[in-house]
């Protein structure tokens, strides 16, 4: 880029920098964002198709989870990356609705393009979109229904809606039951839910119907020693965050040994120190030990003699969940162990699943952390089931905390579209065009649901609009019959927050992309020319010439 001043060109940007301005920059950004939206559009809804993604290592992922597809796709364009961010935010906040958020953002940009062609200024479009998004959130709250956290029937329907359209559909009754029970266990007295307290373990083998809920924890580890008991009933569990092994000195120490007896005495003392440590564990009355750090051979020997089932090198997250499940305290020093620190479980046992040993801590009284074991015929099925279970756990936890739901099946988007059109006519002026464009963009959801089910989108949209004009606010698409139906009665329900998050993040991203009118891309820095850096003389000849 150069500026002409008095006949002398002045270089402002370094050589090799590219710059797109105005309409050219917008066209490039819009095209990238729309392409990303189009990539995931066919996965939306119960009849959505799956994508097969193959990474650079040749690993295969088969999924129709919007965020997984976008994460796996190696997207280079900056505007495309912004669309991926929408999906990531949606997934982190509410777990579901990632595809919805991305396709709404894509449609908002497509409609903005039409307005720009009619010479409507980008600032006016951005203002209209922001006004429409704010109004949409208020309207959504207006036609949301309140749910009691004890209403397991509705919670199961919410889980089933999240599972529908994924490979989990075959076992969705069983899985939704497991998910609702799991959330009930881990909900804190103040109503908070953190799904990190649900440990999802996936194992290939069996079918998805073999998936189970363990009222306690499943740890993907085996006993520290083969002679330890395989199962312990009415277990007293010690959770230890300290190593059961000889402590090495902090400073570099040198021990001079002059006679053979001294060497033996030194080794005997090491063993005695470990014995004293293990004695403290035994005296606490613990019958099961979970250790976050190492347990050496000597300690294993004494623990085995005492009939204690010990497991070592357990992850921090697992030991914290064990504390919630068993009611025990995590002890950081062997010297401070008391009987009060011990947790309890009806049964602790080592079981073999698909050739791998796992430790089951089950039959816990009122566990505040639980485990779900997901089973499936192949690795790809199990991976997709795990993603579906994560989404369903998130949406149920969101409802338990937010207590508000809306109908699914394109019903809220159709209702919003109608109400926003009325709102646009009240506003008037050029901003009215932008609000109307926003309301039209929302109809991409019912339109896509119809297309993916092999139905005629025009007929479906007309029929649903007519139902909503007649005051049937909860009517959406029944993809099996191809006609409008009451989604609340059909049990197709979603958390209010899934919709509000999708609309607000889609609007924010669309406005941000819309406001960009200049793209300055620096040239990639070239590799250093010339010889090797100092101190690299030992390398093979010619290495510095690349």
């Amino acid at each position: 880029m150069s500026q002409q001043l008095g006949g002398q060109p002045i270089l402002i940007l370094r050589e090799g920098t590219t710059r797109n301005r105005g309409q050219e920059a917008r066209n490039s950004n819009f095209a990238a964002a729309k392409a990303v939206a189009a990539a995931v559009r066919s996965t939306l809804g119960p009849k959505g198709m799956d994508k097969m993604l193959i990474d650079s290592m040749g690993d295969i992922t088969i999924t129709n989870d919007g965020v997984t597809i976008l994460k796996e796709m190696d997207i280079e364009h900056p505007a495309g990356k912004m669309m991926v961010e929408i999906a990531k935010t949606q997934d982190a906040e509410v777990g579901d609705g990632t595809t919805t958020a991305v396709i709404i953002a894509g449609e908002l940009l497509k409609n903005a393009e039409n307005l720009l062609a009619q010479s409507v200024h980008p600032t006016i479009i951005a203002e209209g979109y922001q006004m429409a998004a704010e109004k949409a959130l208020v309207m959504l709250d207006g036609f949301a229904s309140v749910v009691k956290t004890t209403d397991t029937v509705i919670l199961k329907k919410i889980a089933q809606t999240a599972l529908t359209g994924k490979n989990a559909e075959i076992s969705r009754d069983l899985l939704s039951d497991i998910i609702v029970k799991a959330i009930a266990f881990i909900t804190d007295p103040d109503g908070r839910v953190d799904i990190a307290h649900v440990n999802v373990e996936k194992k290939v083998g069996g079918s998805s119907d073999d998936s189970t809920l363990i009222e306690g924890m499943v740890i993907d580890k085996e006993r520290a020693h083969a002679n330890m008991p395989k199962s312990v009933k009415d277990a007293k569990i010690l959770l230890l965050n300290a190593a059961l092994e000889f402590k090495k000195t902090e400073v570099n120490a040198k021990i001079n040994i002059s006679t053979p007896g001294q060497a033996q005495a030194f080794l005997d003392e090491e063993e005695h120190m470990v014995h004293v440590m293990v004695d403290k564990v035994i005296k606490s009355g613990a019958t099961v030990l979970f250790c976050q750090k190492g347990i050496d051979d000597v300690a294993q020997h004494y623990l085995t003699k005492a009939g204690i089932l010990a497991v070592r090198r357990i992850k921090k997250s697992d030991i914290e969940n064990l504390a919630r499940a068993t009611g025990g305290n995590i002890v950081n020093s062997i010297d401070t162990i008391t009987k009060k620190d011990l947790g309890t479980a009806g049964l602790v046992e080592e079981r073999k699943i698909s050739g791998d040993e796992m430790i089951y801590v089950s039959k816990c009284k009122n566990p505040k952390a639980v485990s779900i074991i997901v089973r499936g015929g192949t690795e790809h099925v199990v991976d997709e089931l795990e993603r579906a279970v994560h989404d369903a756990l998130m949406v149920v936890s969101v409802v338990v905390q937010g207590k508000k739901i809306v109908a699914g099946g394109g019903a809220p988007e159709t209702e919003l579209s109608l109400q926003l059109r009325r709102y646009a006519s009240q506003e008037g002026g050029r901003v009215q065009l932008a609000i109307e464009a926003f309301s039209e963009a929302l109809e991409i959801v019912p339109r896509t649901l119809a297309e993916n089910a092999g139905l005629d989108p025009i007929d479906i949209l007309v029929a649903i609009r007519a139902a909503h004009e007649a005051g049937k606010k909860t009517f959406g698409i029944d993809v099996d019959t191809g006609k409008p139906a009451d989604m609340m009665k059909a049990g197709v329900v979603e958390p209010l927050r899934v919709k509000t998050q999708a609309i607000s993040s889609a609007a924010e991203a669309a406005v941000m992309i819309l406001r960009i009118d200049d793209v300055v891309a620096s040239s990639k820095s070239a590799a250093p020319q010339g010889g090797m850096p100092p101190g690299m003389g030992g390398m093979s000849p010619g290495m510095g010439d690349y």
Side-chain angles (χ1 to χ4, degrees), residues 241-270:
N241 181 22
L244 274 178
E245 51 197 18
F246 172 70
K247 284 186 185 125
K248 304 280 189 291
T249 53
E250 290 289 321
V251 291
N252 286 337
K254 197 174 182 182
I255 297 169
N256 291 321
I257 293 172
S258 51
T259 65
Q262 283 177 336
Q264 191 56 47
F266 179 70
L267 294 170
D268 289 347
E269 184 56 31
E270 262 194 29

Side-chain angles (χ1 to χ4, degrees), residues 83-207:
M83 299 293 273
V84 179
E85 288 302 316
I86 302 175
K88 283 183 181 173
T89 306
Q90 183 79 11
D91 189 52
E93 288 294 316
V94 288
D96 202 11
T98 51
T99 307
T100 304
V102 171
I103 66 168
I104 289 174
E107 198 65 10
L108 285 171
L109 290 171
K110 183 181 162 191
N111 290 357
E113 222 171 6
N114 296 337
L115 289 177
L116 288 169
Q118 295 168 41
S119 303
V120 180
H121 197 276
T123 311
I124 294 190
I125 303 171
E127 187 190 340
Y129 277 6
Q130 282 161 340
M131 286 166 69
E134 281 169 26
K135 194 73 177 171
L137 300 188
V138 175
M139 289 170 176
L140 269 171
D141 198 58
F143 50 75
S145 310
V146 178
V147 176
K148 288 182 181 165
T149 51
T150 50
D151 191 343
T152 52
V153 176
I154 286 285
L155 293 179
K156 277 183 193 169
K157 283 178 179 174
I158 286 155
Q160 284 177 357
T161 304
L163 293 168
T164 305
K166 298 184 168 72
N167 287 333
E169 213 167 335
I170 319 148
S171 313
R172 69 176 185 174
D173 290 341
L174 167 76
L175 289 171
S176 59
D177 196 37
I178 286 173
I179 284 154
V180 171
K181 280 183 183 165
I183 295 291
F185 276 121
I186 67 160
T187 304
D188 290 332
D190 61 359
R192 283 191 200 165
V193 186
D194 182 357
I195 66 161
H197 301 314
V198 179
N199 176 36
V200 180
E201 289 287 348
K202 51 185 184 179
K203 285 287 163 193
V204 177
S207 74

Side-chain angles (χ1 to χ4, degrees), residues 23 32 49 65 71-72 114 119 126 194 235-236 263 271 288 308 310 312 359 393 398 408 420 435 468 490-491:
Q23 199 56 46
M49 304 300 277
D65 181 35
K71 277 181 186 170
E72 290 287 330
N114 296 337
S119 303
D194 182 357
K236 303 272 186 296
E271 191 173 319
V288 174
I308 292 172
R312 59 183 169 168
I359 304 287
L393 282 167
V398 162
L420 283 172
I435 299 169
H468 280 258

